[in-house]
Amino acid sequence: MTHETDPTRTAAERVLRAVLVERAADVTPPADLEARVRRHNQVRRRLLVAGAAAAAVLVAGGLPAGLTLVRADAPPARPEPSPSPAPSCPPVSGLPATATPTPASPRPRQTGVRGSLAGDSALVDAVLAVGRAALGAELDRAAEDRQLDNGTVRVRLVERAGAGVVALVTGADRTGRWQAGQWVVREGGRLRAAGILNGFQGPVRDQRLSGRFFAGEDPLVIDTVPVCGQRYGVVLAPPDATAELTPPPAIAPDGQLVHPPAGRLALARGLAVVPLRGPGEFQLAVTRDAELVGYTTFRSSEAWPSPAGWPADELARAVREAAGEVDPELAERVADVNRRWVARTTADKVTGLRMVWGGRLRNGEPVLLSALTLSSGAQSIVAGRGHRQGGASTIIGNFHRAGPLEDTVFAWRDHDYVIVVALRAARAEVVQPSGAVLPVPLTEGGGSVVVPNRAFTLVRAYAADGSLLGRQPAGNGGPLFTR
Amino acid sequence: MDQESEADFHDFVVARSPALLATAYLLTGDRHRAEDLLQSALAKALRHWSRIREHGTAEPYVRRILVNEHRSWWRSRRNREVLVAEPPERAAPDDDPARFSDRDAVWRALQQLAPRTRAVLVLRYWEDRSEAETAQLLDCSVGTVKSLASRGLRRLAGVLDEGRPAARVREGGAR
């Protein structure tokens, strides 16, 4: 009996379970997770920085607009300080905005503030007031017995961000255990608290490495902040640090990610505020004394495209040409998830949409397999399932090499179901851990079978002449295919 | 690390990272943070992989790191503007609006719970951990798990009760 139907459970428990199942299906590990993990450890071992500065080059032709990259052998450009007030930008609708507050009482003069607007004491005071209030509110919201230590609250930077201003205020609670960085932005002449980097004291090295070290004279903060509808990457590092930005990877014809060389990011006293444009994931590394001290990944707003949907005729064609029977509603949704997954990962263009196969599970719910072709010919594979109770879940299957999908055996588990798509297969079977073999009824190269208990299974698909087309493990969340 | 261990770690990441990321996401409520959390946990595991592999305890080890890091390091209270990777699920024609309203409300309420309470609910209702297992993972007593689960569920039940009239109004308005 499942949680959803167990009558001994309360309504809250049943809804909670449904929510957790539904939301859990919304996330998929990044394609380069393992690479990131290994890189993370390389960082710890101080291996990554060897020759990093010398390797910095301009990224020929691949430089996203708005990013300031300079040659490693050239002195980093510094933003020109300007005594004039920052220009305004139209207020962004829907965002809470507060009028620039006038400090109620004299505040200690802020020292060590970085950024071209650090000399604007009225602005710095106003930023301090907004930031301090937001930090205090965050502690109140946490409903834990903590109080902000006003003595720790500092304005760290005030810098232009396009037509607006971005600022960072840091502070800690009285125990010193809770430390946070509060973003404050000015849009259309009004200041507002934009978001908080909320953390707890931990190993300094780890905090720095993740770009969230707020204490002391040498904070290290790396984050993205939206200002006037544009997302900016902000780096606040020790003044003698250097930073390198790696543009999003391309997807090679064999489906592998190819990372372009990193370019050096101009820091002014350790500070850079750069607009992030274009899809894909940027990687930023901060080094100091030949040691990598901070690392994070950035995405611009374009890496999260709005669900504008596919042209109806293109979607209809893909549904029409699919093997099996594709549910159009599910197809639209899965195609959109696939498109956004690609945009999160790479700046490569999508050149084609294919619904590979569609069918229905024994309970009547639709399932399908989709493929987006990228400019290199590689294909982004995403599977989806529509749920009777509403919504859909998707499983992202990484990038398939360029070429036909007909010879690939795709298999995945979705709760109690194992779904198989092998377009050239005449028959397929699921081998259970016990050794028992279950045939998978195929319709036009795809089908599903119930295998309870979420057991790890092996799928085998055979051609009409009995030869083995391929084998594919189908566990909980494993890959959809073998590259 | 020898080649076999390298391959073993690769297989583990491929096979288990989706499930571990799901848990991390449910713990943190934030996709980016969940990825950070999982990356950090896997990095720690990788450093001790040969030993972990010997003992055959990879998944419990990584899961424990996930939970502990969530509790002690970056508790997910990042009140920033959240970029939504995927927009809210669009309702299919046969969707019950009240049910959708409930789910959204419960998800939001879950984000507002204290990290440890949320961890208890995730471990109990997503991972199907027993109270004893949950207590072990969270390094607390079974009584604490019971108490936190009860408190958390009460909060969620309260949200559901609050949501009923609104959902009915919406249903009525749609006719």
Side-chain angles (χ1 to χ4, degrees):
Chain A
M1 183 175 289
T2 66
H3 280 281
E4 287 81 355
T5 56
D6 185 346
T8 65
R9 290 190 178 271
T10 65
E13 286 175 307
R14 286 195 295 272
V15 175
L16 171 62
R17 169 71 179 175
V19 166
L20 294 174
V21 168
E22 188 175 277
R23 297 285 175 167
D26 278 352
V27 289
T28 308
D32 61 344
L33 174 64
E34 187 181 350
R36 285 194 207 175
V37 168
R38 292 183 186 279
R39 196 161 48 233
H40 182 100
N41 280 358
Q42 284 170 350
V43 165
R44 287 181 59 90
R45 294 195 299 265
R46 304 185 182 195
L47 295 177
L48 200 143
V49 290
V57 290
L58 273 173
V59 184
L63 182 62
L67 289 173
T68 312
L69 297 178
V70 296
R71 295 185 66 89
D73 55 359
R78 293 182 174 223
E80 288 296 319
S82 167
S84 60
S88 62
C89 63
V92 178
S93 61
L95 291 176
T98 55
T100 301
T102 304
S105 58
R107 300 179 191 282
R109 180 127 186 115
Q110 292 288 304
T111 57
V113 182
R114 285 186 253 175
S116 63
L117 300 173
D120 184 339
S121 57
L123 178 58
V124 171
D125 281 350
V127 163
L128 178 64
V130 171
R132 176 149 53 195
L135 287 168
E138 173 66 8
L139 275 176
D140 289 344
R141 195 179 73 84
E144 295 184 13
D145 190 20
R146 295 206 183 97
Q147 284 186 304
L148 185 65
D149 180 350
N150 282 323
T152 63
V153 179
R154 293 181 62 174
V155 178
R156 299 294 191 168
L157 70 93
V158 186
E159 182 56 280
R160 296 174 191 283
V165 172
V166 62
L168 178 68
V169 180
T170 61
D173 70 354
R174 289 187 177 175
T175 68
R177 205 170 76 77
W178 179 84
Q179 301 171 347
Q182 174 66 53
W183 293 109
V184 176
V185 302
R186 188 169 79 180
E187 296 171 320
R190 295 163 77 84
L191 284 180
R192 68 176 178 91
I196 191 165
L197 288 168
N198 201 342
F200 286 77
Q201 192 178 47
V204 169
R205 186 179 174 76
D206 286 353
Q207 291 185 331
R208 281 206 175 104
L209 276 174
S210 59
R212 281 146 195 176
F213 179 61
F214 311 113
E217 296 305 311
D218 265 345
L220 203 161
V221 180
I222 313 172
D223 198 15
T224 66
V225 188
V227 185
C228 298
Q230 165 69 51
R231 187 160 286 272
Y232 289 84
V234 182
V235 180
L236 178 69
D240 57 346
T242 58
E244 283 191 334
L245 193 69
T246 306
I251 312 300
D254 65 358
Q256 300 285 348
L257 272 63
V258 180
H259 289 273
R264 190 165 162 197
L265 185 67
L267 297 178
R269 282 184 64 214
L271 172 65
V273 176
V274 291
L276 296 173
R277 295 186 182 126
E281 182 182 80
F282 301 86
Q283 296 172 11
L284 191 134
V286 177
T287 60
R288 186 189 197 191
D289 294 333
E291 178 187 3
L292 196 143
V293 292
Y295 174 83
T296 194
T297 56
F298 282 155
R299 290 190 183 98
S300 76
S301 301
E302 290 165 69
W304 314 84
S306 58
W310 287 81
D313 54 344
E314 195 178 341
L315 193 65
R317 176 201 51 76
V319 169
R320 197 170 53 245
E321 293 176 357
E325 186 185 344
V326 169
D327 179 277
E329 290 274 341
L330 181 61
E332 186 176 359
R333 172 167 175 75
V334 173
D336 207 46
V337 169
N338 201 338
R339 181 176 67 105
R340 278 175 286 145
W341 162 246
V342 169
R344 274 189 66 183
T345 310
T346 176
D348 288 3
K349 300 285 183 207
V350 173
T351 60
L353 163 67
R354 179 181 179 187
M355 290 296 144
V356 182
W357 177 88
R360 289 194 179 270
L361 302 174
R362 198 172 72 181
N363 67 1
E365 292 177 345
V367 288
L368 63 78
L369 187 73
S370 74
L372 292 191
T373 306
L374 308 183
S375 47
S376 66
Q379 295 158 93
S380 171
I381 305 295
V382 172
R385 170 184 179 179
H387 296 278
R388 279 180 304 182
Q389 67 269 37
S393 54
T394 51
I395 299 174
I396 293 173
N398 219 335
F399 296 99
H400 190 282
R401 67 181 182 276
L405 302 173
E406 274 65 14
D407 292 332
T408 302
V409 176
F410 299 91
W412 65 98
R413 174 178 272 286
D414 193 326
H415 295 81
D416 284 348
Y417 293 91
V418 171
I419 300 116
V420 180
V421 177
L423 295 177
R424 274 216 308 127
R427 70 180 181 89
E429 62 194 15
V430 169
V431 184
Q432 300 182 75
S434 63
V437 175
L438 277 175
V440 181
L442 297 180
T443 304
E444 296 186 36
S448 62
V449 66
V450 175
V451 184
N453 304 323
R454 301 192 184 189
F456 191 84
T457 59
L458 180 70
V459 169
R460 292 193 291 231
Y462 299 90
D465 63 2
S467 60
L468 181 67
L469 280 176
R471 302 188 303 172
Q472 177 60 36
N476 294 313
L480 299 183
F481 61 94
T482 303
R483 259 206 293 244
Chain B
M1 193 156 68
D2 59 36
Q3 266 190 337
E4 204 178 337
S5 290
E6 290 277 356
D8 192 61
F9 180 74
H10 169 79
D11 291 347
F12 177 78
V13 172
V14 168
R16 300 310 304 152
S17 59
L20 290 166
L21 180 66
T23 297
Y25 176 50
L26 298 175
L27 287 172
T28 62
D30 179 289
R31 288 174 172 82
H32 290 185
R33 186 60 53 81
E35 286 183 10
D36 286 350
L37 192 60
L38 178 58
Q39 179 182 315
S40 170
L42 287 172
K44 282 190 178 174
L46 178 59
R47 294 202 284 276
H48 309 290
W49 191 252
S50 300
R51 198 175 67 226
I52 295 169
R53 186 167 168 261
E54 245 173 55
H55 291 88
T57 55
E59 185 152 355
Y61 181 89
V62 174
R63 200 172 295 279
R64 194 178 178 89
I65 297 175
L66 270 186
V67 173
N68 286 342
E69 293 240 325
H70 166 64
R71 284 179 59 210
S72 63
W73 186 37
W74 295 116
R75 299 186 189 202
S76 183
R77 293 201 190 109
R78 189 176 178 181
N79 189 25
R80 57 181 297 173
E81 182 182 344
V82 177
L83 282 170
V84 180
E86 293 170 23
E89 302 281 351
R90 195 173 51 186
D94 59 347
D95 287 337
D96 173 356
R99 178 177 285 179
F100 260 84
S101 171
D102 285 351
R103 290 185 182 186
D104 287 345
V106 165
W107 176 247
R108 282 196 298 272
L110 196 62
Q111 310 308 309
Q112 298 299 318
L113 295 177
R116 199 153 71 144
T117 307
R118 189 162 63 214
V120 165
L121 294 184
V122 169
L123 292 170
R124 294 279 291 119
Y125 293 96
W126 163 245
E127 296 213 333
D128 289 338
R129 303 271 161 192
S130 68
E131 287 170 341
E133 286 174 315
T134 303
Q136 196 180 12
L137 271 166
L138 293 175
D139 199 20
C140 65
S141 68
V142 170
T144 301
V145 168
K146 285 181 179 173
S147 159
L148 290 174
S150 166
R151 198 182 309 162
L153 286 170
R154 267 205 310 276
R155 284 276 296 277
L156 301 186
V159 167
L160 286 174
D161 289 343
E162 286 168 17
R164 298 288 177 222
R168 278 199 295 271
V169 168
R170 273 198 293 279
E171 280 180 305
R175 285 188 190 109

